[in-house]
Amino acid sequence: MTDTRDPELAVVVLAAGAGTRMRSELPKVLHEIGGVPLIGHVLAAAALLAPTRTVVVVRHERDRVAAAVGELAPDALIVDQDETPGTGRAVQLAVDALAGFAGDVLVLSGDVPLLEADTLSALVAAHRGRDATVTLLSAAVEDPSGYGRILRDASGDVERIVEHRDATDHERDVAEINAGVYVFRAAALEAHLAVVTPDNAQGELYLTDVVAIARHAGERVAASRAPDASAALGVNDRVQLSEAARILNARTVRRWQLAGVSVQDPATTWIDQAAVLAEDVTLLPNTQVLRATEIARGATIGPDTTLRDCEVGEGAVVRRTDATLAVIGAGAQVGPFSYLRPGTRLGDHGKIGTFVETKNSTIGDRSKVPHLSYIGDTEIGVDVNLGAGAITANYDDIAKHRTVIGDQVHSGSHNVFVAPVRIGDGAKTGAGAVIRKDVPPGALALSVAPQRNIEGWVDNNRPGTGAAAAAERARAAQEAGHGTQRQDG
Ligand code: UD1
Ligand code: CA
């Protein structure tokens, strides 16, 4: 493999902050949107720029964040921030770790997840096209509160950044904000960070102070406007988290619509980043296509359906269903009101119907479990029809056991299959059967005792009740009917 990395570009991702405003036990950068942690979006965009090095700075919940980064970007270098707080300190330690690197350093925030690689590479290109030592990404937002404001001089050049907490009322009126994304020349960055002081409302070393320091040193600071202000959204609290999720989802839905997927109600349809949908898939309202779910051509999903890590075959119809780690065959029908748990495999043109729960079970091609059933740890052959209320009793308090049902089996309504048990090909079972022993191929299994009617029981034991009166009326009507018939005959 040839190395196509950019030797002049290093990326630093900041992820050491405590994320206090999230009020969460989970580190902020590990909160997910689109099924991916915030920092995963940042690392994915950065990777597309093919930097020679990627450094992630961690401290708060260090081990959890480092472990996640290890999975998301195995090549990234983890750097630990020390007890000195602030984005300036974080970048200083990252630059130390890049020892000797003399190119451009792209600094990203682990909590600014919506920036796309195109925007970042345009920022790097803009930086390289100018003689600036700092090029930052700015955005004009409707509500700038919380962000650092970009202050420009009389000629419109960037002069400094003031943090919201340190800003005067007048400065807070500025709507142009710092997106927290910058390209620095490594040497200038290192030199300027060395003179940053914690002389501010938070007592931290602010990376943003490098801007004013560079200007004082007579260097140029450039700013590029983000093409789409919403992409600069920083996630500091859960309101912003849901806003970021909504913006990302709108993008994802639109992308799949343009790829041939019908989405009836984009506002209530959620598609994770890892999901893959074919042309002519239809998604109906209130549908969530989560994790690595794959949906084949022509399938219809929803309304009110959640699929996690599922595979849905061509032309299948899945209505009002909750499914996890399930495989649904081509032309199959699922729902309404089905619950498919992990390990469910429904064959082509099969059916899992109303109020049916399945788990760790294979249901063969054209086989149907249409109503009110629990099927667990079961193998069902092809062309099987289970009557309403089929229950596999797979658990005896100690272990789970398997039920094996052959091809072409038809079961009566309200059967219990007490596992381990095997039903041979072509066998049939009677209504209400409790199947405890294997059934040979082609046999009819009956387990219910023959019915016995005790005539007159109500008259003898419940005299004078409504039931007794009703029975008496029915017998009288029957007598009269019989009489007429006898007369006619
Ligand atoms: C920061 C910027 C602000 C900008 C905003 C954009 C500073 C001082 N302010 O503010 O100008 O408008 O981002 O979203 O940089 N972090 C560390 N180590 C620390 C502190 C923070 O790695 O000691 C990381 C955080 O984990 C986070 C990022 O840096 O990923 C930004 O920190 P945060 O506290 O969220 O800064 P903001 O107040 O949002
Ligand atoms: Ca932030």
Side-chain angles (χ1 to χ4, degrees):
M1 212 181 95
T2 56
D3 194 0
T4 51
R5 289 170 191 259
D6 180 347
E8 295 300 312
L9 184 68
V11 169
V12 172
V13 179
L14 303 184
T20 323
R21 290 164 279 183
M22 292 297 281
R23 295 179 171 275
S24 177
E25 182 260 331
L26 185 70
K28 172 166 75 174
V29 295
L30 299 190
H31 279 263
E32 292 186 358
I33 60 172
V36 175
L38 295 176
I39 195 169
H41 294 275
V42 178
L43 290 166
L48 291 172
L49 273 62
T52 182
R53 294 305 312 251
T54 299
V55 179
V56 180
V57 187
V58 299
R59 178 173 168 86
H60 176 73
E61 290 279 349
R62 186 246 178 243
D63 290 346
R64 282 170 88 178
V65 177
V69 170
E71 275 177 32
L72 295 160
D75 292 345
L77 178 68
I78 305 283
V79 167
D80 286 288
Q81 189 168 347
D82 56 17
E83 56 289 336
T84 303
T87 48
R89 181 61 177 164
V91 172
Q92 199 168 37
L93 293 167
V95 170
D96 286 353
L98 286 169
F101 176 76
D104 299 310
V105 180
L106 171 64
V107 174
L108 304 173
S109 287
D111 65 349
V112 180
L114 299 176
L115 289 169
E116 289 174 297
D118 289 353
T119 305
L120 301 180
S121 52
L123 187 72
V124 173
H127 178 74
R128 288 173 174 174
R130 295 179 189 136
D131 65 345
T133 55
V134 186
T135 301
L136 57 90
L137 188 69
S138 75
V141 295
E142 246 170 62
D143 176 15
S145 54
Y147 291 99
R149 309 296 204 285
I150 310 260
L151 304 180
R152 293 174 181 269
D153 64 18
S155 53
D157 288 334
V158 177
E159 202 168 27
R160 63 191 173 93
I161 296 173
V162 61
E163 288 305 296
H164 182 93
R165 293 210 229 176
D166 301 298
T168 63
D169 284 350
H170 181 65
E171 288 166 340
R172 285 182 183 178
D173 287 341
V174 173
E176 188 183 16
I177 60 109
N178 167 31
V181 169
Y182 329 72
V183 188
F184 298 96
R185 289 215 191 129
L189 179 60
E190 192 174 5
H192 300 332
L193 279 172
V195 295
V196 169
T197 64
D199 182 17
N200 53 55
Q202 299 188 82
E204 296 185 353
L205 297 180
Y206 285 169
L207 174 62
T208 45
D209 285 354
V210 165
V211 168
I213 295 167
R215 276 295 299 260
H216 280 132
E219 297 166 9
R220 248 199 92 202
V221 174
S224 289
R225 279 280 173 101
D228 168 13
S230 69
L233 179 69
V235 175
N236 295 318
D237 59 34
R238 300 203 198 217
V239 176
Q240 289 166 325
L241 181 70
S242 69
E243 178 69 359
R246 191 187 60 74
I247 294 167
L248 177 70
N249 188 59
R251 253 189 219 169
T252 308
V253 166
R254 184 183 150 80
R255 174 160 56 85
W256 286 115
Q257 285 176 317
L258 294 175
V261 173
S262 284
V263 180
Q264 203 181 70
D265 183 16
T268 64
T269 302
W270 292 84
I271 307 176
D272 272 357
Q273 296 300 286
V276 179
L277 296 85
E279 282 176 19
D280 288 320
V281 164
T282 299
L283 302 181
L284 297 174
N286 281 315
T287 288
Q288 297 160 289
V289 182
L290 306 181
R291 306 278 158 184
T293 293
E294 277 186 44
I295 304 177
R297 184 182 287 266
T300 299
I301 314 295
D304 304 330
T305 293
T306 302
L307 304 178
R308 282 175 223 84
D309 285 315
C310 289
E311 217 179 293
V312 180
E314 257 185 64
V317 176
V318 182
R319 293 186 288 158
R320 297 187 202 277
T321 288
D322 185 298
T324 300
L325 285 164
V327 178
I328 295 166
Q333 289 192 47
V334 178
F337 309 109
S338 304
Y339 180 33
L340 278 57
R341 292 166 52 201
T344 297
R345 305 182 73 90
L346 176 62
D348 293 351
H349 302 282
K351 175 166 184 168
I352 294 175
T354 315
F355 303 112
V356 173
E357 173 178 344
T358 59
K359 185 214 75 174
N360 191 26
S361 292
T362 299
I363 298 166
D365 293 349
R366 299 173 304 282
S367 288
K368 297 178 168 59
V369 187
H371 338 268
L372 297 160
S373 293
Y374 171 66
I375 303 298
D377 302 307
T378 300
E379 243 162 80
I380 298 177
V382 301
D383 298 302
V384 168
N385 189 85
L386 298 189
I391 305 292
T392 55
N394 57 332
Y395 186 48
D396 59 9
D397 270 358
I398 299 164
K400 301 279 171 71
H401 300 285
R402 290 193 76 76
T403 300
V404 179
I405 298 176
D407 297 341
Q408 300 273 358
V409 169
H410 283 203
S411 71
S413 294
H414 203 277
N415 279 188
V416 180
F417 300 93
V418 182
V421 72
R422 307 177 76 91
I423 319 296
D425 292 349
K428 300 192 187 292
T429 64
V434 177
I435 305 294
R436 299 175 185 275
K437 294 191 296 184
D438 290 359
V439 180
L444 169 65
L446 303 172
S447 78
V448 177
Q451 182 174 328
R452 195 159 65 99
N453 295 335
I454 302 171
E455 292 281 357
W457 190 93
V458 170
D459 299 307
N460 295 332
N461 294 281
R462 300 287 185 272
T465 61
E472 180 51 35
R473 279 196 300 276
R475 277 190 302 258
Q478 215 171 13
E479 282 293 307
H482 277 292
T484 313
Q485 257 172 10
R486 252 179 252 134
Q487 268 175 5
D488 289 349

